[in-house]
Amino acid sequence: MDEITFAVLGTGGIGRRALEVSQHKDALTPVAACDRHGTAIDFDGLDVDELLAATEGNIDSGPGDDEIATDGGSGATAADGVGPTQQRDTGGDGVKQHGDGKGVVASSQARASEDPIQDVIDHGDGIDAVLLAVPNYEHDFIPRTADRFLEGGYAGVLIDVLKRSRVIDMLDERSADFEDAGITFVCGAGATPGLLTGAAALAAQSFVEVTEVEIWWGVGLKSGYEDNRGTVREDIAHLPGYDIETARELSDEEIEAIIDDHDGVIEFQDMEHADDVLLERAGICEAEDVTVGGILDVESDAKPTTTTVSVTGRTFDGETATNTFELGDRTSMEANVNGPALGYLSAGVRRNWAGEYGVFGPAELLPRF
Ligand code: IKT
């Protein structure tokens, strides 16, 4: 199998776990990782163990922990982090302290940079795929990052794990530019959208008409809370009374107050998750027939509910039935986000090598409806 080289933009929870999971994939070589402080690049393959050890507990505090500037290096992101702060007790051993906020530069493989994204673009010839492991606190953050790769002449795969439906349109607007540039953009390739969208697309194959897709997830994040603060913040934006802008402005303490108000267990209904538009663009069902919801428990590592995808439809021979796909209660969210992200990354690279460019959702990389 041909070796695939990839970079991660962002060394927060998703970037770090993606690097870790890639160690278990023979054909994947991580060659670059950056955050807003700097860049590590090694075409012989990054020493992931060193990078993870050096940066453990050394991430920025605040909402900008995964974030990197898209403005050419001024660092003027709307959610720029600040210095060390206190955070939620995640392990029963008292309040933990963030590190000194040096991020990736704490690794001996990295160097400080004014413009880490440009570093990656400048080395783009040797990078088959770039995983955008950054939260989309502004709806156009990922599209704007893609613009920089377009402007920089990158030709390869860009892949994200974004959640919000409306971002897909913003990427579609760039589809012709991606095609001209030779970019294969795979969007929504985490757990949901991503793994569960793909599961729905497979389950739909039994039907000639799909009438309903229901995605219901359960996540237990006691020990994983610190690594996944970005995801929790994005989830809170789905609660009544909040949106992405107000959630972005919340301090860590305000987030924890909201969690405490819910006794650590928050239920989400009718989330704006891109599974709907991604299933529609693959021709599987109408976006309005897809619902996404779930339960987040930050007081326990056990899933509060089994993650389930239910696809209801009509078969060619007149039956109405529901095909159900369940995740194991012991597969972690990290496994269910990063395994699929790397799997879709590999699928995207194969499309790219075959000359297929433009925007692809997870369901378009599977059997078509
Ligand atoms: C995501 O990161 O894809 C979305 C999160 C839900 C993950 C579902 C994983 C289910 C499982 O591991 O059983 C959430 C909406 N932030």
Side-chain angles (χ1 to χ4, degrees), residues 18-365:
L19 288 168
E20 196 178 340
V21 174
S22 76
Q23 299 297 92
H24 300 267
K25 310 261 181 187
D26 286 344
L28 284 180
T29 304
V31 295
C34 72
D35 60 16
R36 64 192 150 117
H37 299 282
T39 319
I41 297 184
D42 185 344
F43 283 101
D44 291 329
L46 292 174
D47 179 344
V48 170
D49 290 339
E50 188 278 337
L51 192 124
L52 294 183
T55 55
E56 187 73 54
N58 192 18
I59 54 177
D60 290 336
S61 65
D65 59 358
D66 285 335
E67 203 156 334
I68 34 192
T70 55
D71 58 356
S74 75
T77 58
D80 216 21
V82 286
T85 188
Q86 292 192 325
Q87 60 193 231
R88 191 175 183 81
D89 171 10
T90 55
D93 55 352
V95 174
K96 292 179 181 171
Q97 193 83 16
H98 277 289
D100 60 9
K102 282 197 302 183
V104 76
V105 176
S107 161
S108 61
Q109 301 166 81
R111 61 178 180 79
S113 172
E114 287 293 304
D115 193 349
I117 290 182
Q118 193 60 45
D119 294 343
V120 173
I121 294 169
D122 290 345
H123 291 84
D125 279 352
I127 301 174
D128 296 315
V130 180
L131 172 62
L132 310 178
V134 291
N136 206 32
Y137 289 131
E138 296 154 78
H139 285 305
D140 62 348
F141 186 79
I142 284 173
R144 279 192 290 124
T145 305
D147 287 341
R148 291 209 55 201
F149 278 84
L150 279 167
E151 285 156 19
Y154 179 70
V157 170
L158 296 174
I159 177 165
D160 66 44
V161 291
L162 65 79
K163 318 272 182 10
R164 294 270 173 168
S165 305
R166 70 189 79 170
V167 185
I168 308 298
D169 280 345
M170 295 181 192
L171 292 169
D172 268 338
E173 285 164 15
R174 292 157 169 83
S175 193
D177 294 335
F178 291 145
E179 284 173 40
D180 291 346
I183 289 177
T184 307
F185 199 115
V186 183
C187 52
T192 178
L195 173 62
L196 304 185
T197 330
L202 271 184
Q205 303 301 320
S206 305
F207 304 118
V208 292
E209 184 193 8
V210 171
T211 50
E212 189 180 9
V213 175
E214 201 181 332
I215 293 175
W216 184 248
W217 53 264
V219 169
L221 267 190
K222 184 175 168 67
S223 56
Y225 179 80
E226 184 179 336
D227 252 5
N228 291 289
R229 284 178 304 127
T231 293
V232 174
R233 184 180 292 272
E234 280 194 68
D235 285 346
I236 283 176
H238 292 89
L239 287 176
Y242 294 92
D243 59 23
I244 200 81
E245 282 78 26
T246 49
R248 188 178 67 215
E249 301 304 328
L250 294 169
S251 67
D252 285 352
E253 291 72 21
E254 286 169 322
I255 298 255
E256 290 174 19
I258 293 167
I259 292 170
D260 290 342
D261 278 350
H262 290 79
D263 295 325
V265 183
I266 310 182
E267 185 165 327
F268 300 91
Q269 300 283 351
D270 285 329
M271 303 176 82
E272 183 203 332
H273 263 224
D275 307 81
D276 56 0
V277 292
L278 293 171
L279 287 169
E280 182 171 287
R281 63 181 286 144
I284 286 166
C285 59
E286 303 288 320
E288 65 192 25
D289 295 331
V290 181
T291 55
V292 180
I295 304 178
L296 170 69
D297 184 350
V298 300
E299 298 294 341
S300 166
D301 280 332
K303 295 185 190 186
T305 183
T306 297
T307 298
T308 309
V309 181
S310 306
V311 179
T312 302
R314 187 174 54 79
T315 63
F316 79 101
D317 47 359
E319 292 292 343
T320 295
T322 300
N323 281 349
T324 307
F325 171 94
E326 279 186 4
L327 292 186
D329 286 340
R330 295 181 66 82
T331 58
S332 63
M333 181 178 78
E334 288 84 352
N336 293 324
V337 170
N338 293 291
L342 293 179
Y344 284 122
L345 182 150
S346 300
V349 168
R350 273 161 227 295
R351 296 293 179 115
N352 186 267
W353 288 345
E356 288 184 59
Y357 312 130
V359 178
F360 294 80
E364 289 156 276
L365 301 175

